[in-house]
């Protein structure tokens, strides 16, 4: 018999859901009820089964056991189209929008208002304006999506789901791609949306977001529910224990202040670098700095301030163009084009540049190492050596994967990130360029990755670290360079890099 607080009231409910991928049990008898109008956070370690559970709720995977209820009735989800019919919507992390179409066109595409058989753009535009007004989701209906910042594109994805009358909105790590300001605006929107009775399922690794934005939290570990909390009655520490089985280390050794960088010559030096894009627009303007062996130099800046172009030039990935000038030196020698072997690189876009998705985890871990004598067989790479080395990296970096022979695309997001870091850090190059090292990574692994970067520094590697997490820069960097409109506008010692000072410099107020 249904009770007041019982499952009959849930907007959506997963009951006894089990999902296996070969030998991996990604979801193991999971029960999860999403109440009407709540923000329900789902957290857990990398590989805990969060994305798998969300894809079952959105009809992308079929469970091996268990089922989904909507408003108390059992539904069959054979595809995302079924899910949409049942009022379930998903905001994908890799947006599925058409960049050359307008906001209004993207919102209505596939479900267009038609007038006498033709697409009624005026009606679409009005509808986008109405929804935008209703939910505080401001986006110019006539703007071309490809030209919009990431935060606004995400709003278009949300509008698209609401236009299809979603009553349960699933967001898998929505803030991983957002600046702190954009993330704050997203949570304002989610609040407004839930006030109209829509439910939100929010997958995230950021416990501060969970604590400030959600109503309830479910914790997954190794495919099972290990905790279920009312947010107002829990703490970060309690969540961490449910997630990883222990509290986080209180002392972060080795500590940032033990940097040994001295008056040694620079391992990486950038001199008066000026770079223009294909349209001749200035992207970097007279940038000069150096990173010494045994030093971590942080790079802060709002997206598009030149960090991308700087990393591309330093790693040798970007061929010099006609409008470019200045120098990049590695231990005094000009950087090589193509891929500079003396620079390890952990790119922000691990799916695109970081990995070859169709290749195995072992092959991905060996990429860039084909000249290494240890991995060579008689012809090409030795399969055995590649596998053995992969196994040792998997162990050392606690990468969770069923087998090193599986395609890397089957790893969870955070585990793929750890694989890229493992490969690049283990190359022991004089210089490492790291972008967003803990994006999408669980709290236990964040701690581990920070320790690994400090270890690399203490071994004498020179680390250039770009991060949008200001706390991360503070915890790791000896100095933070702030970029604004293609220039370095401030250099702040790591221990003085407070949010306010960094924020002021990042918005050009301190230049
Ligand atoms: N298509 C697939 N084929 C094989 N294994 C898979 C597939 N999808 C997921 N897995 C495995 O299922 C487990 C759970 O993965 P899932 O992506 O759900 O984790 P997650 O909690 O979202 O992790 P993260 O925080 O890193 O994104 C992992 O061990 C993963 O390797
Ligand atoms: Mg995931």
């Amino acid at each position: 018999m249904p009770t007041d607080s019982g499952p009959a009231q849930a907007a959506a409910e997963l009951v006894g859901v089990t999902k296996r991928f070969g030998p991996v049990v990604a979801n193991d008898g999971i029960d999860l009820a999403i109440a009407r109008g709540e923000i329900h956070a789902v957290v857990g370690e990398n590989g805990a089964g969060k994305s798998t559970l969300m894809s079952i709720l959105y009809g992308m995977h079929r469970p091996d056991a268990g089922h989904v209820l909507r408003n108390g009735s059992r539904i069959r989800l054979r595809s995302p189209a079924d899910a949409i019919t049942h009022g379930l919507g998903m905001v994908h992390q890799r947006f599925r929008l058409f960049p050359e179409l307008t906001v209004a066109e993207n919102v209505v595409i596939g479900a267009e208002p038609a007038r006498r058989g033709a697409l009624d753009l005026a009606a679409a535009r009005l509808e986008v304006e109405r929804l935008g007004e209703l939910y505080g989701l401001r986006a110019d209906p006539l703007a071309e999506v490809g030209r919009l910042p990431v935060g606004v594109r995400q709003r278009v994805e949300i509008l698209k789901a609401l236009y299809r009358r979603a009553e349960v909105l699933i967001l898998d790590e929505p803030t991983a791609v957002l600046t702190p300001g954009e993330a704050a605006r997203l949570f304002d929107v989610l609040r407004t949306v839930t006030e109209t009775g829509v439910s939100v399922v929010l997958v995230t690794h950021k416990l501060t977001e969970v604590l400030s934005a959600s109503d309830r939290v479910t914790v997954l570990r190794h495919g099972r529910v290990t905790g279920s909390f009312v947010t107002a009655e829990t703490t970060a520490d309690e969540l961490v224990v449910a997630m990883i089985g222990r509290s986080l280390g209180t002392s972060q050794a080795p500590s940032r202040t033990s940097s040994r960088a001295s008056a040694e010559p620079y391992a990486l030096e950038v001199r008066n670098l000026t770079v223009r894009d294909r349209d001749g627009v200035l992207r970097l303007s007279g940038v000069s700095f150096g990173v010494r062996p045994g030093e971590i130099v942080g790079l802060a800046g709002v997206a598009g301030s030149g960090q991308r172009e700087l990393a591309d030039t330093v790693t040798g990935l970007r061929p010099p163009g006609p409008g470019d000038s200045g120098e990049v030196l590695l231990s005094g020698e000009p950087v090589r084009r193509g891929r500079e072997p003396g620079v390890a690189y952990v790119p922000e876009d691990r799916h695109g540049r970081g990995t070859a998705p169709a290749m195995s985890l072992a092959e991905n871990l060996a990429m860039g190492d084909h000249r290494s004598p240890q991995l060579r067989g008689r012809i090409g790479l030795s399969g055995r050596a590649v596998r053995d080395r992969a196994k040792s990296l998997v162990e050392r970096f606690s990468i969770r994967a069923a087998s090193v022979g599986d395609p890397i695309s089957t790893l969870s997001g955070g585990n793929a990130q750890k694989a890229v870091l493992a490969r690049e850090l283990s190359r022991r190059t004089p210089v490492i360029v790291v972008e967003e090292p803990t994006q999408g990574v669980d709290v236990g692994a964040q701690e581990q990755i920070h320790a690994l970067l400090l270890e690399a520094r203490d071994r004498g590697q020179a680390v250039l670290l770009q991060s949008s997490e200001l706390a991360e820069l503070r915890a790791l960097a000896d100095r933070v360079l702030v970029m604004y409109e293609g220039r370095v506008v401030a250099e702040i010692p790591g221990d003085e890099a407070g949010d306010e000072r960094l924020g002021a410099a990042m918005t050009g107020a301190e230049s």
Side-chain angles (χ1 to χ4, degrees):
M1 228 218 317
T3 59
D4 278 352
S5 58
Q9 288 231 313
E13 191 174 357
L14 292 139
V15 183
V17 166
T18 294
K19 177 71 190 175
R20 293 185 199 87
F21 295 106
V24 178
V25 187
N27 290 164
D28 188 1
I30 292 182
D31 293 321
L32 177 71
I34 312 298
R36 196 176 131 81
E38 77 169 342
I39 299 184
H40 194 123
V42 175
V43 301
E45 283 179 303
N46 295 131
K50 305 178 296 291
S51 295
T52 303
L53 194 65
M54 296 307 116
S55 49
I56 286 171
L57 185 55
Y58 192 57
M60 295 191 290
H61 283 314
R62 294 241 226 145
D64 297 310
H67 56 266
V68 177
L69 302 177
R70 191 68 178 96
N71 294 327
S73 320
R74 189 162 164 169
I75 55 171
R76 270 166 75 85
L77 298 172
R78 275 153 306 187
S79 65
D82 283 350
I84 291 165
T85 310
H86 285 290
L88 302 162
M90 181 143 180
V91 175
H92 296 276
Q93 197 180 73
R94 317 203 85 207
F95 304 140
R96 303 178 175 194
L97 301 171
F98 297 95
E100 66 284 2
L101 298 185
T102 64
V103 168
E105 286 165 334
N106 267 286
V107 167
V108 302
I109 200 156
E112 297 93 342
R115 220 170 100 222
R116 291 201 205 118
L119 171 59
D120 187 349
L121 266 181
R125 185 182 151 187
L126 282 175
E127 185 59 11
V128 168
E129 275 168 358
R130 189 185 70 82
L131 289 169
E133 192 72 28
L134 186 63
Y135 297 113
L137 275 160
R138 266 152 305 150
D140 173 5
L142 298 181
E144 197 180 300
V145 159
R147 296 177 179 273
L148 296 172
V150 173
V152 182
R153 278 189 229 185
Q154 187 177 59
R155 253 177 259 163
V156 177
E157 281 271 0
I158 297 175
L159 279 170
K160 204 172 150 176
L162 293 170
Y163 176 76
R164 287 162 180 71
R165 302 190 193 291
E167 290 173 358
V168 178
L169 205 53
I170 306 162
L171 297 104
D172 194 353
E173 297 189 47
T175 59
V177 292
L178 302 183
T179 63
E182 286 171 334
R185 279 193 291 278
L186 170 68
F187 287 115
D188 288 343
V189 165
L190 295 183
R191 260 297 144 224
T192 316
V193 167
T194 52
E195 275 161 18
T196 66
V198 172
S199 310
V200 170
V201 190
L202 171 72
V203 175
T204 179
H205 286 292
K206 299 179 185 169
L207 294 183
T208 45
E209 287 176 6
V210 172
L211 292 171
S212 66
S214 74
D215 301 300
R216 288 197 300 152
V217 195
T218 294
V219 183
L220 301 186
R221 184 160 192 232
H222 302 322
R224 300 209 174 116
V225 174
T226 52
S228 162
F229 305 91
V230 173
T231 308
E233 294 165 8
T234 189
T235 61
D237 194 53
E238 195 173 29
L239 294 175
V240 167
V241 172
M243 283 163 74
I244 66 175
R246 62 172 175 90
S247 292
L248 284 177
T250 37
S251 65
Q252 279 233 358
S255 89
R256 178 171 62 72
T257 46
S258 68
S259 168
R260 290 179 291 124
S262 54
E264 277 187 74
Y266 290 129
L268 168 68
E269 190 179 3
V270 171
R271 284 191 196 157
N272 209 13
L273 187 66
T274 292
V275 160
R276 288 173 192 277
D277 67 14
R278 262 180 296 159
D279 303 328
V281 177
L282 211 53
R283 292 295 175 185
L284 293 175
S285 167
V287 170
S288 298
F289 68 91
V291 188
R292 296 198 160 85
E295 189 182 34
I296 299 180
V297 170
L299 267 188
V302 296
S305 299
Q307 304 96 314
R308 153 99 309 118
E309 290 78 5
L310 185 60
D312 285 356
T313 311
V314 166
T315 51
L317 282 168
R318 182 184 187 284
D324 297 359
S325 58
E327 286 178 295
V328 179
L329 305 172
L330 289 183
S331 311
E333 300 288 322
V335 70
R336 274 176 263 182
R337 290 178 214 170
R339 179 80 143 81
E340 165 59 53
V343 182
Y345 181 37
V346 179
E348 178 173 10
D349 180 8
R350 58 184 169 247
H351 303 289
R353 294 174 158 195
T355 57
M359 282 164 70
S360 71
L361 171 59
E363 287 166 324
N364 269 282
L365 285 170
M367 264 167 37
D369 267 352
H370 46 280
R371 287 186 212 87
S372 147
Q374 295 97 299
L375 295 184
R376 271 186 81 183
R378 266 181 306 167
I379 345 158
L381 288 172
S382 147
R384 174 99 187 255
V386 165
R387 292 179 73 86
D388 286 350
R389 199 176 92 107
K391 283 181 189 157
S392 95
L393 287 177
V394 161
E395 185 147 330
R396 198 149 64 81
F397 287 80
S398 357
I399 299 166
R400 196 157 171 252
S403 150
V404 296
D406 285 351
I408 197 164
S409 57
T410 66
L411 263 62
S412 75
N415 278 300
Q417 169 75 340
K418 282 201 264 180
V420 175
L421 267 156
R423 179 184 73 211
E424 296 299 311
L425 286 178
S426 64
R427 288 173 58 207
R428 305 277 168 109
T429 49
V431 174
I432 313 176
V433 177
V434 189
E435 294 171 357
E436 306 291 356
T438 57
Q439 189 170 91
V441 164
D442 69 57
V443 286
Q446 279 175 24
E447 196 182 40
Q448 187 196 4
I449 287 166
H450 285 180
L452 287 165
L453 289 171
L454 291 171
E455 242 175 73
R457 177 202 71 185
D458 290 344
R459 269 199 305 271
Q461 288 174 286
V463 183
L464 185 61
L465 167 72
Q466 186 264 314
S467 176
S468 52
E469 296 288 334
L470 302 184
E472 178 161 82
L473 292 174
R474 230 179 342 266
L476 298 176
D478 298 291
R479 298 179 276 139
V480 180
L481 305 176
V482 183
M483 299 197 66
Y484 179 69
E485 294 188 341
R487 290 172 300 129
V488 173
V489 293
E491 177 178 326
I492 305 173
D495 46 12
E496 294 170 25
D499 279 3
E500 269 181 37
R501 194 152 167 213
L502 282 173
M506 284 165 68
T507 51
E510 210 187 82
S511 54

